[in-house]
Amino acid sequence: MRKFLLLTLVLFLAFAAVGAAAAPKILVYAKTADPRGLDPAYNEELESAKIMVNIYENLVKYKPGSTEIQPCLATSWTQSSDGLVWTFNLRRGVTFHDGTPFNAEAVKFSVERQLPPNATSDMPYASFTFEPVKKVEVVGPYTVKFTLNKPYAPFLANLAMSFAAPIVSPAAVKKYGADSNQHPVGTGPFKFDKWDRDQQIVLVKNDKYWGKKALVDKVIYKTTKENSVRSSELLTGAVDIIDGVDPNDVKKLESSGLKVVKNPGMNINYMGFFCHKKPFNDPRIRRAVSMAINRDAIVKYLYQGYAQTANGPLPSFIPGYDPKLKPLSFNQEQAKKLLAEAGASNLSFTILTYSVARSYNPVNGQKLAEAVQAELLKIGVKTNIKVYPWSEYKSAVFNATEGDAYFYGWIGDNGDPDNFLSLFDSNQIESGLNHSKYSNPKVDEILKKGTATLDPKARVKIYQDLQKLLIEEAPWVFVSHSLDMAAYRPNVKGFRLHPVGVSWLDKVSK
């Protein structure tokens, strides 16, 4: 009997071990909002990018922790001496998640659907990324050639971006048509499984991935809108990773043994004016409102040392940043004089804002709007705040049919100064990237010069001069650059936040 019991115990433990080994490794990542979609041609916001970078791949990609370029679906490339022709040699033996082959035709398809006459108005990054592309040609099954209509300094960096540049399955786009935003098919280490709106998106490991396989079997992106709730979920172990960490929660998380990532943020947090309509079509009124806001006090109060006041649109580590650049000074008496001069002494206006935390604004848009509202009231300027959920907010700002100003932010895509400063290009009004509808021919001309200049030192001078002009024109109130923060449980290994605001999760284990 004793031998029988011993044998039974051994068999039970053996089966238990097999069961434990077979249990899927699931990583749960809580984030602030549902994405708008998952087709890179139709999206330009971070909540989409966080997921898309794990489904799709690009010809080139960023090295860990930097925006330096390395091979991905392209193994090598050359550039002609005049800067107009780029030729890429592609990786062989790669298949999309639907089983169709990756090749030069797929690259051509991914790009050409975003070029005239195929590009549509709901492709926000199409012109931003591919405007200089004259044509794309298949040279061979695994060789593709881009011909540009002008030298374009950010071209290679743009091909690594989360939007527009990822290579999609032509078969899947043709199959799903307008629904491709809900059915993403790429070549990446994870495959799309399902999407429960405003609840979760599930990815599963791509067992046929061409590179090293992902270390977890499944990733669940959970939508948890409230900062405090996300922190509580992390503390209890209900989730493994959170982003949008509230500065008020940092000490509590760290004292509980959780890991908090605090990286310099490649971002700008700002209040923008709708410059195409009254009252903010008058730069004097824009300057007055800017000067009435004590940005230093707001940043200190809201972000508690986890952000720094901006002197302009560029973070300090982006080429073209000018430490000597002087923003409009805080001067409420001068602000009142400017308003009187512009005939706007009794100014009142409506501000649009968002209800969730963002990586560039880790409290939330409403709190920031209320802090600005209190500052403006000190000089008699009255404001009405309209708050939207994130999914609705982007449409409200894009349409600009209501409101006079808005709160927003930008997270750099590629480390190039043009990636920030082209948000003031009038050519990006239609795409929606120039939310302020700001138009200045001189600014447009300087931006063209910046991208056509291939000498890095010369480009720095161009962009520094441009920022001085933008300070005077004041299409934005430059508020802050936030630390990029996320938190995770100690049993999670290999998690990193990239400067562009996303995380590749194939190297993360649990």
Side-chain angles (χ1 to χ4, degrees), residues 193-208:
D193 182 36
K194 67 174 183 174
W195 185 350
D196 301 319
R197 284 283 178 182
D198 289 315
Q199 296 181 47
Q200 65 176 12
I201 289 176
V202 180
L203 309 184
V204 296
K205 179 167 70 173
N206 177 12
D207 289 320
K208 296 181 179 179

Side-chain angles (χ1 to χ4, degrees), residues 19 59 107-108 129 133 188 219-220 233 255 350 354 364 398 411 490:
L59 294 179
V107 176
K108 180 180 170 70
T129 308
V133 176
V219 176
I220 299 174
E233 288 177 334
S255 65
T350 297
Y354 48 91
N364 63 49
F398 177 80
I411 299 160

Side-chain angles (χ1 to χ4, degrees), residues 46 125 163 266-268 358-360 409-414 419-420 484 498-502:
L46 185 62
Y125 261 67
F163 308 110
M266 194 163 68
N267 59 54
I268 177 67
R358 308 294 296 157
S359 59
Y360 45 76
W410 180 259
I411 299 160
D413 297 296
N414 59 19
N419 187 248
F420 280 81
D484 199 5
H498 192 271
V500 298
V502 301

Side-chain angles (χ1 to χ4, degrees), residues 8 42 100 109 199 247 253 256 292 306 313-314 331 388 398 409 420 440 462 468:
T8 302
Y42 296 99
T100 58
F109 174 87
Q199 296 181 47
L253 294 172
S256 300
Y306 298 109
L314 294 183
N331 189 328
Y388 289 85
F398 177 80
F420 280 81
N440 184 325
I462 290 167
K468 292 173 185 175

